[in-house]
Amino acid sequence: LSLELINNQIEYLEDEALNGIFGLEFLDLSYNKLRAIRLKKMIYLKELKLEQNEFEIIEKEYFEDLKSLRKLL
C-alpha cells in the first residue's frame, strides 16, 4: 500500500495522522512545507520520501517506531 502526498503545501502532520492506514509501506511527502515530523506506529513502512521540505529539526527518535524502514530520502 502506498500514499503520495507530493506538493500539497503540507506544513504540519499530527503525530498520529497516518496511523489508521494499516499496511502502509511507501509514503511520499516530498515537496511540501514540513518543518518537523514524527511518525508513530507505522510498523510496515519501508520507504519514506521527505525531499524538498523545510525541516528545521529531524530527531532520530521521530523514526524509532519505523522498524521496517529501509529507505529514507
Side-chain angles (χ1 to χ4, degrees):
L1 185 60
S2 65
L3 178 61
E4 294 181 355
L5 296 172
I6 303 165
N7 200 18
N8 282 291
Q9 307 299 311
I10 299 170
E11 295 180 17
Y12 181 77
L13 279 177
E14 294 287 333
D15 286 358
E16 299 183 12
L18 302 172
N19 286 358
I21 305 174
F22 181 76
L24 185 63
E25 293 183 351
F26 304 97
L27 177 59
D28 192 343
L29 293 168
S30 300
Y31 297 93
N32 282 291
K33 295 184 177 184
L34 292 168
R35 294 179 185 224
I37 191 168
R38 181 177 299 215
L39 300 172
K40 294 183 178 180
K41 301 178 185 174
M42 300 187 74
I43 59 173
Y44 300 103
L45 194 65
K46 294 179 181 176
E47 184 174 323
L48 176 60
K49 294 183 179 182
L50 298 172
E51 301 169 274
Q52 298 297 314
N53 277 283
E54 300 176 3
F55 289 106
E56 296 174 359
I57 298 173
I58 298 180
E59 301 283 345
K60 67 179 183 177
E61 294 82 22
Y62 293 178
F63 304 103
E64 65 188 3
D65 290 340
L66 306 181
K67 305 294 186 204
S68 298
L69 191 66
R70 299 293 176 253
K71 188 184 280 188
L72 176 61
L73 302 169

